[in-house]
Amino acid sequence: MDTEATTVSRYQVFPLIPLRGISVFPGMRLIFDVDREESLGALNAAMEGDQTLFLVAQRDPSADNVGGADDLFKIGTVSRVHQVLRVPGEEGAKVMVEGIDRGYMSRLAAAKPYLSAQVEVLQSETSPRGAVKAEALIRQCYGLLEKYAQGSGLELDDVLRDILGSSDAGYVADYVTQSIYMRYDQKQMVLEELRPMRRLALVNRLLRWELDILDMEHSIHEETAKNMKRAQREMFLREQLRTIQAELGEEESYTDDTEEYRAAVARAKLPKEVSAKLYKEIGRLAKQPFGSAEAAVIRTYLDICLEIPWERSTEDNLDTEAVRRALDADHFGLEKIKKRVLEYLAVRKLAPDQKGTILCLLGPPGTGKTSIALSIARAMGRKMCRISLGGIHDEAEIRGHRKTYVGAMPGRIMTGIQQAGSRNPVMVLDEIDKLGSDYRGDPSAALLEALDPEQNSQFRDHFLELPFDLSEVFFITTANTADTIPPALLDRMEVVEFAGYTDEEKLAIARDHLLPKQRKKHGLNGNQLRINDGAMREIIARYTRESGVRLLEQQIAAVCRKTAAGIVEGQFKSKYLRAGSLEEFLGPAKYRDQRTGGQAEVGLVHGLAWTRVGGEMLDAEVGVMDGSGKLELTGNLGDVMKESAHAAMSYIRAHAAELGVEPAFYKNKDIHIHFPEGAVPKDGPSAGVTICTGLVSALTGVPVRQDVAMTGEITLRGRVLPIGGLREKTMAALRAGIHTVIIPAENEPDLADIDPAVRAALNFITASRVETVLDAALCREDGHAED
Ligand code: ADP
């Protein structure tokens, strides 16, 4: 049963004031301004009458004039004016009104001089006492209103609380609507709802809607606040960081440098691909928060890329005459390599696009490999860079680490290019034979890619991530031995051998190059220090033993140092060193004179060995004593060498009678073969003839000529097989004062390669059988053979 009903009371004509954006509810008071002329007229009319008027909202609150009834809502409030406040000198007035009843405007009664309307006064029924539904709606309203108050900061004043204690749903609805923020059209809806319960239900709905909006506002507000906070925090931290950096003197890093980078990229002449990549990185840099690690990485990357000579190259000096003169001025001898460089230049003149020259300078230390490489760069007018490959295990050392690694950098190749500052330098790769390879990757594979003329025009460094053209680079590698160079690499290179110097060559090098160089280094002139050839020979023979001239240079440096010190201390004004006067500067000689002269000895044979550092004289000592047939080998020998000794023994047993050896020696004699300098490991088959000669000498008591040295492998049948390293071995023989060198017959063609000075100074005997060796080395004709 619907308990809500509307009773029609009476019609009345009231002066009318249109309201803009506000509404008045029955039982409520409202203060508002009256400005418009018509409204003031209506007010005056009301004041002259019973002080009641009709207040109704305009449909369009912004309209200044009301043209007709359609511009107004139909339902408004019949109200009583309580107070009118006029400010003297001003047109308008402030009025306080109280709503009495809702009213329905049936028509406009007049428009001039003020609006008046015929109004039907509506009296809404109050909700029935104790109605459960009304109570529920009121409680719901109370709950919503509390929440609304919390959310909006509205003061729920006592009056409002009292009202909520009322049981009249319509009244409560009106009061609440009047008290909270609501849009004017919503308020109008409430005003127009004449049934009290529906009215409150409507108000509750509107309240909930307002709460939702409040919630939404809240979360928006919170989000903004959070963002604001974060931004503020970052700003604050950045400010702090800047202060700290300023304290540390690092403040310039905060400048926004992306524009500078852009300008630098634009200035630098770069290939398209490179500049595109760099612009991209600059774009990334611009997005990095200040002080981020990533930004630092990008900056390093850009700095390095900008320093790489992508398009910069130098002009080659193709004047072969001038280059020849420059090379000769720096280095004595070394004809092979000098010629090779001149050929290279000649070919370049004819075919400028010729690419991919990789030389490998192979030889003992101190033979000038590195220094001639540098001199080649100078003579050709190229920039140069030097990379030491010794002990590199990691591929990344050659090709760089990817940018994502902490502290990543380009590899050595690109760093070298960067340092050289041109894309066609002479790149010296030192110690390519000492390149390692293990679980970290194979550096030789990366190196191969850099060296291979087929691939190196697009060499990619992991750090740079951009291809670089290495095809214009002149690669020169150096190595002491070819044995440990990865074969794939060795294949790509043209090997130029450096054999080591004879004493005469060393003398010339020392006199013409090393001494002047060291004198200059130590601030001495040619009068302050002179070393004559005799003294120089003594340094070479008694203070050094090497294939190259590295130690020789060190000794000369020591002499210069001490001379300089003596002059500064006033001990002398100048120094002239002759043979025999070196002890003062260099101390006692390190090597005794190996020249043993002609004194033949039983069981002592000079062998010749080849090592990484060049040729060496290697003596074999053989001792024979009564015993039970034991063979002892000492002196740090490798397996191959031990086997050579056994082969020699077998040969002698088989030919005992011819050799004049007691046939049962292998049963009743103990034999000891020893190679002095036990600390040095020795191996190889080429000591075969040496051991055999020592054994025969010891077993027969026939002495061995000490001015003879030998090298050669033997077979059980007494054949002499060829050996390697002849050039170095013969030099060592000459150094040791040997006159005659016995070599395998099959090595005879190699004699052509031997230094002419060495060839002239030595007497060569070629042997295809051991008997020839024994004939030459044993002093049988002396009559010792009868022993
Ligand atoms: P490597 O690289 O073969 O080990 P270096 O190039 O370091 O040897 O040479 C050692 C020193 O000997 C350098 O000072 C070098 O100038 C000098 N040197 C070597 N050979 C010659 C030569 N033929 N003429 C002049 N100086 C030489």
Side-chain angles (χ1 to χ4, degrees):
M1 187 185 77
D2 192 3
T3 55
E4 301 168 26
T6 311
T7 14
V8 177
S9 63
R10 53 211 152 124
Y11 284 97
Q12 242 179 298
V13 172
F14 294 104
L16 182 151
I17 294 184
L19 297 178
R20 295 199 283 189
I22 50 174
S23 14
V24 184
F25 285 86
M28 322 286 140
R29 290 188 178 196
L30 183 74
I31 299 172
F32 63 96
D33 290 324
V34 183
D35 293 323
R36 288 181 281 189
E37 211 177 306
E38 295 92 347
S39 300
L40 285 168
L43 180 62
N44 287 338
M47 295 310 283
E48 281 161 19
D50 61 357
Q51 294 162 25
T52 51
L53 38 65
F54 185 61
L55 298 173
V56 63
Q58 283 178 209
R59 287 185 191 274
D60 175 5
S62 61
D64 276 341
N65 290 311
V66 175
D70 288 346
D71 292 345
L72 299 167
F73 285 109
K74 289 282 178 237
I75 292 197
T77 319
V78 178
S79 309
R80 173 164 296 117
V81 179
H82 274 279
Q83 234 176 345
V84 179
L85 207 77
R86 284 179 209 268
V87 181
E90 276 187 25
E91 288 280 289
K94 237 182 199 2
V95 285
M96 182 205 272
V97 297
E98 183 185 356
I100 302 166
D101 275 316
R102 286 175 162 75
Y104 174 79
M105 176 175 75
S106 52
R107 62 180 182 86
L108 273 184
K112 289 261 154 80
Y114 56 86
L115 287 169
S116 60
Q118 183 180 336
V119 175
E120 183 183 344
V121 179
L122 309 171
Q123 282 171 341
S124 58
E125 252 191 21
T126 54
S127 50
R129 290 222 149 257
V132 178
K133 196 173 173 191
E135 186 62 28
L137 283 170
I138 291 171
R139 283 192 197 171
Q140 191 186 33
C141 180
Y142 186 72
L144 289 167
L145 199 63
E146 278 218 308
K147 273 196 200 151
Y148 178 86
Q150 268 172 17
S152 66
L154 173 88
E155 290 281 341
L156 269 188
D157 60 30
D158 294 342
V159 183
L160 195 52
R161 262 180 247 279
D162 285 350
I163 304 262
L164 288 163
S166 135
S167 55
D168 186 348
Y171 179 63
V172 170
D174 284 350
Y175 203 98
V176 168
T177 308
Q178 180 87 13
S179 309
I180 67 171
Y181 172 79
M182 227 180 248
R183 276 204 336 257
Y184 80 94
D185 52 339
Q186 290 173 334
K187 287 194 175 177
Q188 183 67 32
M189 271 162 70
V190 175
L191 194 66
E192 287 184 2
E193 181 51 71
L194 301 177
R195 292 161 295 187
M197 303 255 248
R198 296 230 172 144
R199 190 186 307 155
L200 188 54
L202 171 67
V203 168
N204 284 353
R205 254 197 330 274
L206 291 172
L207 259 177
R208 209 169 285 126
W209 159 257
E210 279 299 317
L211 272 175
D212 283 350
I213 290 176
L214 271 182
D215 259 6
M216 188 68 75
E217 271 180 358
H218 251 280
S219 57
I220 291 173
H221 180 77
E222 256 170 39
E223 189 62 26
T224 342
K226 232 195 319 195
N227 287 344
M228 286 275 291
K229 254 192 203 155
R230 199 183 310 129
Q232 269 173 347
R233 203 176 112 87
E234 269 179 21
M235 226 169 69
F236 177 71
L237 286 175
R238 256 170 228 180
E239 198 50 53
Q240 267 189 333
L241 187 61
R242 220 177 309 170
T243 317
I244 293 170
Q245 281 180 326
E247 288 280 319
L248 291 173
E250 293 171 358
E251 61 199 311
E252 90 273 38
S253 63
Y254 181 62
T255 51
D256 176 17
D257 42 11
T258 51
E259 276 319 306
E260 278 170 41
Y261 276 121
R262 277 207 179 89
V265 173
R267 257 196 324 270
K269 283 207 199 96
L270 302 175
K272 256 204 193 114
E273 187 180 355
V274 175
S275 51
K277 165 93 176 153
L278 296 197
Y279 282 130
K280 206 169 131 200
E281 292 291 326
I282 295 171
R284 279 185 52 219
L285 177 63
K287 287 194 206 106
Q288 299 301 321
F290 165 69
S292 84
E294 181 69 10
V297 171
I298 300 174
R299 278 197 192 91
T300 313
Y301 177 80
L302 291 170
D303 290 342
I304 289 174
C305 282
L306 283 168
E307 270 184 35
I308 294 223
W310 299 98
E311 300 280 6
R312 236 176 298 142
S313 59
T314 57
E315 190 86 10
D316 278 353
N317 176 8
L318 294 176
D319 176 354
T320 43
E321 277 302 307
V323 171
R324 169 95 227 183
R325 276 198 303 278
L327 290 178
D328 279 345
D330 285 349
H331 288 84
F332 171 90
L334 304 179
E335 279 307 314
K336 259 198 215 164
I337 175 71
K338 288 180 185 167
K339 258 202 214 132
R340 182 63 190 84
V341 171
L342 295 176
E343 276 165 28
Y344 171 82
L345 292 182
V347 175
R348 247 192 104 79
K349 244 192 225 175
L350 299 178
D353 291 335
Q354 170 226 19
K355 287 184 175 167
T357 306
I358 316 164
L359 296 183
C360 175
L361 311 187
L362 186 69
T367 43
K369 299 182 297 295
T370 311
S371 76
I372 190 111
L374 306 189
S375 158
I376 290 169
R378 255 194 318 273
M380 287 175 67
R382 287 204 181 193
K383 304 267 190 205
M384 90 105 209
C385 55
R386 187 176 163 191
I387 298 166
S388 184
L389 299 175
I392 291 188
H393 287 269
D394 196 344
E395 189 206 353
E397 291 238 21
I398 303 287
R399 210 208 291 264
H401 278 109
R402 292 188 193 285
K403 277 211 298 292
T404 42
Y405 279 78
V406 176
M409 283 305 245
R412 302 234 188 155
I413 300 268
M414 288 314 297
T415 310
I417 294 280
Q418 181 194 347
Q419 281 161 2
S422 93
R423 60 198 281 261
N424 62 338
V426 170
M427 186 176 283
V428 181
L429 301 166
D430 262 329
E431 303 195 301
I432 197 165
D433 53 337
K434 308 217 172 50
L435 203 62
S437 115
D438 58 20
Y439 63 94
R440 279 166 288 190
D442 185 359
S444 70
L447 202 55
L448 195 62
E449 211 183 298
L451 295 183
D452 190 348
E454 300 294 319
Q455 313 180 35
N456 70 4
S457 60
Q458 290 277 315
F459 179 72
R460 252 175 205 279
D461 184 281
H462 288 327
F463 179 83
L464 298 179
E465 297 171 340
L466 285 165
F468 186 87
D469 182 2
L470 289 174
S471 62
E472 302 280 322
V473 177
F474 188 168
F475 288 104
I476 301 183
T477 66
T478 79
N480 292 144
T481 167
D483 299 349
T484 51
I485 302 178
L489 272 176
L490 193 58
D491 277 356
R492 299 283 192 298
M493 303 190 287
E494 186 182 326
V495 175
V496 180
E497 283 191 50
F498 281 53
Y501 300 114
T502 62
D503 284 1
E504 286 308 307
E505 286 172 336
K506 286 185 189 172
L507 179 63
I509 294 171
R511 197 180 45 214
D512 302 339
H513 296 278
L514 305 181
L515 181 58
K517 195 158 82 183
Q518 290 302 327
R519 256 200 312 239
K520 198 165 160 201
K521 233 182 181 174
H522 290 84
L524 299 168
N525 64 34
N527 292 324
Q528 285 169 313
L529 173 67
R530 280 181 296 158
I531 304 178
N532 79 0
D533 287 0
M536 209 56 109
R537 279 206 174 85
E538 204 171 304
I539 299 177
I540 293 166
R542 315 259 329 254
Y543 291 87
T544 67
R545 189 183 281 176
E546 56 174 348
S547 301
V549 291
R550 190 168 286 168
L551 290 177
L552 178 57
E553 186 169 28
Q554 284 170 11
Q555 296 296 339
I556 293 173
V559 171
C560 292
R561 216 164 38 240
K562 286 180 181 153
T563 308
I567 291 175
V568 171
E569 285 164 15
Q571 290 168 11
F572 45 77
K573 284 214 167 68
S574 64
K575 209 72 204 173
Y576 182 44
L577 292 183
R578 298 178 182 80
S581 63
L582 289 170
E583 285 217 5
E584 178 193 350
F585 279 179
L586 296 178
K590 292 198 180 70
Y591 303 98
R592 71 188 158 80
D593 200 345
Q594 279 193 326
R595 296 157 208 253
T596 45
Q599 279 273 321
E601 280 190 51
V602 174
L604 175 65
V605 192
H606 300 313
L608 293 171
W610 182 82
T611 69
R612 259 175 181 242
V613 297
E616 285 258 13
M617 198 155 90
L618 185 63
D619 291 350
E621 291 173 345
V622 182
V624 175
M625 46 235 115
D626 292 338
S628 56
K630 274 190 287 206
L631 173 64
E632 196 166 353
L633 297 160
T634 55
N636 205 349
L637 310 183
D639 287 343
V640 177
M641 208 149 162
K642 287 181 187 159
E643 286 162 11
S644 289
H646 286 287
M649 281 287 285
S650 303
Y651 165 78
I652 294 169
R653 269 175 67 180
H655 299 83
E658 299 141 55
L659 294 169
V661 173
E662 188 206 334
F665 78 94
Y666 62 93
K667 283 193 282 201
N668 55 22
K669 302 274 187 216
D670 281 353
I671 297 173
H672 184 178
I673 304 173
H674 176 68
F675 286 81
E677 297 191 51
V680 186
K682 309 169 188 80
D683 203 6
S686 73
V689 291
T690 319
I691 296 170
C692 188
T693 307
L695 278 169
V696 174
S697 164
L699 287 166
T700 58
V702 179
V704 183
R705 282 172 53 182
Q706 295 299 298
D707 62 343
V708 171
M710 60 187 67
T711 176
E713 181 176 349
I714 60 160
T715 69
L716 288 181
R717 295 186 168 73
R719 267 187 4 109
V720 177
L721 301 183
I723 45 77
L726 191 67
R727 204 184 128 103
E728 286 81 6
K729 286 176 175 175
T730 53
M731 277 187 199
L734 185 65
R735 265 205 304 276
I738 296 295
H739 294 139
T740 303
V741 176
I742 305 171
I743 61 167
E746 287 183 46
N747 280 113
E748 198 173 346
D750 300 339
L751 286 175
D753 270 350
I754 292 179
D755 191 278
V758 178
R759 218 165 36 213
L762 292 174
N763 172 32
F764 291 95
I765 294 175
T766 56
S768 56
R769 294 204 50 83
V770 178
E771 294 81 42
T772 320
V773 177
L774 295 173
D775 284 347
L778 296 176
C779 304
R780 282 175 178 142
E781 66 283 355
D782 291 351
H784 286 86
E786 291 101 84
D787 271 23

